[in-house]
């Protein structure tokens, strides 16, 4: 077993002093351990945690070696149950509102007590110590305390174990976490009395570096919780945290490209390219040395996944992977076409499961940036090149679609404006991130493109989803520099977007959205509807911070009459 456990039935720590030190550390965050009732497991290896998962009947092995499990009633994130403690000095830095809901320190302590009571009844508690951030000098020390082996396994997949950044952690007493997340789905609060939205709660105290996750065992809450705190910690350091994937060329180390987008819009799919090296598929940061992965693994949406269309991701569903909420057939094989549990079937796996991955999880400054706008209206072009002003406009708008099942209550593709293409995870004002992006685009002369991975030939329900082969051809043209050199049409008269006259491997017909609709007046009406939504969102941003808007000095980026 690991350094903390001798056997499945053994004591929790070979060294009594180390065990007592760990218990004291847990006690400081409200997790009291009764050694006669609870065993604590620390930094288990993959084989060890898999044995625990099977012993505790938390999941079952599939024929590929992946472990399948279910998350209960919560099969996606619960954004309406996410809170941040309103406490000085961080309170002055948080963009309070529908995304960042304030909660009092007193309520936080009551929820911590609820977590503590659940921990006191637990037969097993699992502790993972590791990092968020592959750049060692700016990585964040993370501790995840959970009641389920599955969550421990998930943390090991998604974050960086000490050895991944060249360290050897001899014992838990050596660890000084900057962020601790405690996740107990058996913790149930009297949410009405506490003024919460529902029985689930995801709460972060920036001053204490502490997060609480209760009443939900959806693993994505842990992942996005760490990301949210990174999004708070990094900007004052001049580091831009981004909801994006990143790849680099195999033969050209300075050939780095970023892909921004909401969950389910193509970040993971388009970055899993066998001709390139994957730096990371979802959460990336950009500092003075280049970009680095915040995570150590991938969390891919795999509904309807087929080997012939996405071979690398399909083959990643193997030993050490976790398959979440998939229906298994009578032979135990997952049926990824069956969304009867949820459309948000997910697979968590180490980055190394992708054959073409970058071992250092780092890359040079990007030469190209892609905004993936999954347009549910079907009126945006497959690709457009953006000016600097347009890039910041579309970054602040973050127009895309929430895809089915990614959040609680989202049952069909739904248009949304999510600033920074990740507004749900950004504690600070979107202008903080926009200014960092603008400065880095200028410094490194990045080309920026808007790519529609959504609908074409009509809106959702009438048109069709953009072919993955089309999106891949467009990305290939961006990566190779073809779209830097090609000819562009004059900007359209609604969105003022300049589209290329030719993209290798893409039909000329679909490059102009108007041409793909059977009814021109319906296209026009739908495009104007989306235009008005852009303008409404922009007005909201301008009213929220006129000084920031003036400082950015954006010109005319969309028709406003």
């Amino acid at each position: 077993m690991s350094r903390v456990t001798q056997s499945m039935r053994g004591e929790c720590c070979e060294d009594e002093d180390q065990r007592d030190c760990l218990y004291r550390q847990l006690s400081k965050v409200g997790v009291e351990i009764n050694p006669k009732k609870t065993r604590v497991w620390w930094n288990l290896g993959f084989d060890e945690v898999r044995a625990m998962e099977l012993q505790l009947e938390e999941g079952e092995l599939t024929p590929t070696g992946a472990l399948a499990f279910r998350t209960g009633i919560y099969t996606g994130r619960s954004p309406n149950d996410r809170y941040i403690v309103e406490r000085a000095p961080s309170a002055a830095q948080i963009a309070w509102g529908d995304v960042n809901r304030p909660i009092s320190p007193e309520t936080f302590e009551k929820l911590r007590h609820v977590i503590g009571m659940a921990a006191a009844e637990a037969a097993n508690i699992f502790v993972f110590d590791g990092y968020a951030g592959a750049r060692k000098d700016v990585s964040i020390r993370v501790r995840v305390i959970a009641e389920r082996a599955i969550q421990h396994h998930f943390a090991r997949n998604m974050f960086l174990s000490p050895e991944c950044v060249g360290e050897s952690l001899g014992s838990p007493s050596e660890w000084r976490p900057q962020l601790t997340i405690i996740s107990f789905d058996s913790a149930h609060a009297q949410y009405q009395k506490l003024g919460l939205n529902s029985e689930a709660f995801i709460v972060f105290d920036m001053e204490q570096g502490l997060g609480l996750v209760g009443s939900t065992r959806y693993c994505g809450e842990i992942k996005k919780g760490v990301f949210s705190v990174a999004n708070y910690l990094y900007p004052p350091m001049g580091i831009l945290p981004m909801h994006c994937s990143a790849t680099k060329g195999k033969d050209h180390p300075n050939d780095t490209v970023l892909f921004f987008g909401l969950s389910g819009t193509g970040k993971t799919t388009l970055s899993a390219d066998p001709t390139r090296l994957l730096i990371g598929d979802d959460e990336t940061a950009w500092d003075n040395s280049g970009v680095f992965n915040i995570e150590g693994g991938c969390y891919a949406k795999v509904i309807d996944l087929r080997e012939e269309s996405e071979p690398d991701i399909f083959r990643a569903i193997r030993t050490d992977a976790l398959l979440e909420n998939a229906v298994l057939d009578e032979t135990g094989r997952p049926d990824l076409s069956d969304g009867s549990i949820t459309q948000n079937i997910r697979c968590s796996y180490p980055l190394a499961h992708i054959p073409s991955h970058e071992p250092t999880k780092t890359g040079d400054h990007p030469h190209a940036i892609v905004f993936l706008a999954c347009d549910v209206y079907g009126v945006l072009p497959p690709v457009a090149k953006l000016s600097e002003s347009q890039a910041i406009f579309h970054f602040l708008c973050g127009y895309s679609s929430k895809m089915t099942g990614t959040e609680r209550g989202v049952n069909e593709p739904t248009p949304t404006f999510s600033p920074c293409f990740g507004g749900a995870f950004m504690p600070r004002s979107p202008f903080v991130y926009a200014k960092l992006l603008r400065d880095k685009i200028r410094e490194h002369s990045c080309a920026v493109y808007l790519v529609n991975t959504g609908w074409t030939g009509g809106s959702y329900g009438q048109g069709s989803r953009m072919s993955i082969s089309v999106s891949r051809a467009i990305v290939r043209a961006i990566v190779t520099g073809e779209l830097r050199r090609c000819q562009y049409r004059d900007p359209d008269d609604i969105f003022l977007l300049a589209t290329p006259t030719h993209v290798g491997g893409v039909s000329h017909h679909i490059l102009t959205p108007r041409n793909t609709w059977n009814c021109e007046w319906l296209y026009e009406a739908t495009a104007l509807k989306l235009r008005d939504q852009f303008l409404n969102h922009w007005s909201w941003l301008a009213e929220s911070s006129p000084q920031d808007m003036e400082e950015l000095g954006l010109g005319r980026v969309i028709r406003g009459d």
Side-chain angles (χ1 to χ4, degrees):
M1 292 300 292
S2 74
R3 291 180 291 271
V4 177
T5 58
Q6 299 179 59
S7 69
M8 289 301 177
R9 299 181 302 277
E11 294 299 323
C12 300
C13 195
E14 297 179 33
D15 186 289
E16 186 175 345
D17 290 338
Q18 294 292 344
R19 181 186 64 214
D20 291 343
C21 179
L22 177 58
Y23 289 176
R24 287 194 299 272
Q25 290 176 346
L26 297 180
S27 177
K28 287 180 180 179
V29 293
V31 177
E32 300 289 348
I33 301 299
N34 179 351
K36 295 181 179 180
K37 177 183 289 188
T38 306
R39 294 193 177 104
V40 179
W41 311 89
W42 176 73
N43 275 25
L44 297 179
F46 283 120
D47 291 343
E48 298 162 338
V49 74
R50 186 186 312 111
M52 288 293 290
E53 289 163 335
L54 296 174
Q55 177 181 308
L56 298 173
E57 299 182 342
E58 293 186 9
E60 58 182 294
L61 284 178
T62 66
T64 66
L67 191 129
F69 72 104
R70 297 187 180 182
T71 62
I73 62 171
Y74 293 94
T75 58
R77 290 184 299 102
S78 298
N80 293 331
D81 300 307
R82 176 182 174 274
Y83 305 89
I84 296 176
V85 177
E86 190 172 12
R87 192 198 303 270
S90 59
Q93 307 301 320
I94 304 297
W96 301 109
D98 291 339
V99 170
N100 300 308
R101 295 171 172 81
I103 195 171
S104 70
E106 294 76 19
T107 301
F108 180 83
E109 292 305 322
K110 290 176 181 177
L111 291 173
R112 176 151 49 167
H113 178 67
V114 170
I115 290 274
M117 289 193 298
E121 298 300 318
N124 297 282
I125 289 178
F126 299 87
V127 180
F128 171 82
D129 289 340
Y131 288 98
R135 189 90 72 203
K136 186 176 178 181
D137 57 339
V138 293
S139 57
I140 301 166
R141 296 184 301 278
V142 173
R143 168 168 283 173
V144 178
I145 304 167
E147 66 178 320
R148 293 184 181 272
I150 286 285
Q151 293 167 321
H152 189 75
H153 187 162
F154 181 83
R156 187 167 185 84
N157 275 353
M158 298 310 302
F159 306 120
L160 297 153
S161 58
E163 56 266 26
C164 288
V165 293
E167 288 190 358
S168 176
L169 188 60
S171 71
S173 64
E174 300 174 19
W175 197 245
R176 296 293 181 269
Q178 295 163 276
L179 169 63
T180 298
I181 292 184
I182 311 173
S183 181
F184 277 73
D185 61 273
S186 64
H188 302 293
Q190 293 181 310
Y191 69 93
Q192 297 97 332
K193 290 185 178 180
L194 295 176
L196 305 182
N197 175 66
S198 79
E199 69 280 359
F201 55 89
I202 304 97
V203 191
F204 295 93
D205 188 328
M206 299 300 184
E207 305 308 323
Q208 296 191 65
L210 183 59
L212 308 176
V213 180
S215 292
T216 171
R217 60 176 182 265
Y218 179 67
C219 292
E221 300 291 10
I222 298 173
K223 165 187 160 69
K224 290 305 185 186
V226 172
F227 184 46
S228 296
V229 175
N231 290 333
Y232 175 77
L233 294 176
Y234 276 149
M237 302 164 64
I239 300 172
L240 173 61
M242 304 170 290
H243 191 215
C244 74
S245 61
T247 67
K248 64 189 291 186
K250 289 184 176 181
D251 301 320
H252 304 284
N254 60 346
D255 172 18
T256 300
V257 177
L258 304 180
F259 301 86
F260 285 81
L262 300 187
S263 296
T265 59
K267 290 194 309 300
T268 298
T269 296
L270 294 174
S271 56
D273 181 345
T275 68
R276 296 177 62 77
L277 297 175
L278 178 64
I279 296 170
D281 83 320
D282 190 50
E283 300 170 7
T284 310
W286 190 353
D287 65 5
N288 290 333
S289 300
V291 302
F292 61 90
N293 194 351
I294 294 175
E295 302 180 295
C298 303
Y299 192 41
K301 189 175 181 183
V302 295
I303 184 76
D304 293 325
L305 183 72
R306 292 178 295 123
E307 185 173 14
E308 55 268 29
S309 59
E310 299 181 62
D312 283 350
I313 298 174
F314 187 90
R315 294 166 191 161
I317 307 176
R318 53 185 171 89
T319 301
D320 299 336
L322 286 173
L323 188 58
E324 193 174 85
N325 295 317
V327 174
L328 305 183
D329 65 19
E330 61 277 3
T331 69
R333 291 189 176 276
D335 181 357
L336 300 181
S337 66
D338 188 339
S340 58
I341 298 174
T342 177
Q343 292 288 306
N344 192 36
I345 303 172
R346 293 272 175 175
C347 185
S348 160
Y349 49 87
L351 188 72
H353 276 205
I354 299 297
S356 296
H357 72 279
E358 168 53 47
T360 68
K361 303 175 181 66
T362 64
D364 203 351
H365 300 287
H367 69 82
I369 297 171
V370 178
F371 294 155
L372 300 173
C374 182
D375 176 24
V376 73
Y377 293 114
V379 294
L380 291 182
V383 61
K385 188 176 182 181
L386 304 179
S387 66
E388 180 187 294
S389 291
Q390 287 178 315
I392 301 307
F393 171 83
H394 283 280
F395 180 72
L396 282 169
C397 287
Y399 168 67
S400 193
S401 298
K402 294 180 181 179
M403 300 307 289
T404 306
T406 53
E407 291 182 9
R408 191 179 177 190
V410 178
N411 299 314
E412 63 178 26
T414 305
T416 188
F417 288 84
S418 183
C420 315
F421 292 95
F425 323 116
M426 304 294 170
R428 296 177 182 271
S429 163
F431 290 102
V432 170
Y433 309 101
K435 291 174 186 176
L436 281 169
L437 180 65
R438 177 201 60 189
D439 293 346
K440 291 183 181 296
I441 287 174
R442 285 179 178 175
E443 181 179 357
H444 302 289
S445 302
C446 304
V448 185
Y449 302 89
L450 184 71
V451 172
N452 174 19
T453 60
W455 273 257
T456 181
S459 300
Y460 170 71
Q462 286 81 43
S464 59
R465 186 79 189 265
M466 197 75 68
S467 165
I468 186 64
S469 62
V470 168
S471 296
R472 283 198 169 122
I474 289 169
V475 167
R476 192 179 311 117
I478 290 171
V479 166
T480 61
E482 176 188 337
L483 293 193
R484 271 188 184 254
R485 301 184 296 268
C486 73
Q487 295 289 319
Y488 282 82
R489 298 182 180 86
D490 291 337
D492 72 277
D493 60 356
I494 296 178
F495 301 107
L496 306 185
L497 294 173
T499 58
T501 58
H502 173 79
V503 178
V506 178
S507 167
H508 177 271
H509 177 71
I510 70 169
L511 292 175
T512 303
R514 188 184 297 268
N515 295 342
T516 66
W517 284 59
N518 293 326
C519 180
E520 185 165 344
W521 72 262
L522 184 57
Y523 164 82
E524 184 87 10
T526 306
L528 289 173
K529 177 181 178 180
L530 177 57
R531 186 279 312 265
D532 289 345
Q533 291 180 10
F534 268 109
L535 292 174
N536 289 338
H537 179 77
W538 196 243
S539 296
W540 171 78
L541 282 170
E543 291 171 4
S544 68
S545 187
Q547 183 176 346
D548 286 315
M549 188 69 80
E550 183 178 351
E551 183 181 338
L552 283 170
L554 301 183
R556 185 168 180 258
V557 292
I558 197 167
R559 196 179 96 190
D561 55 14

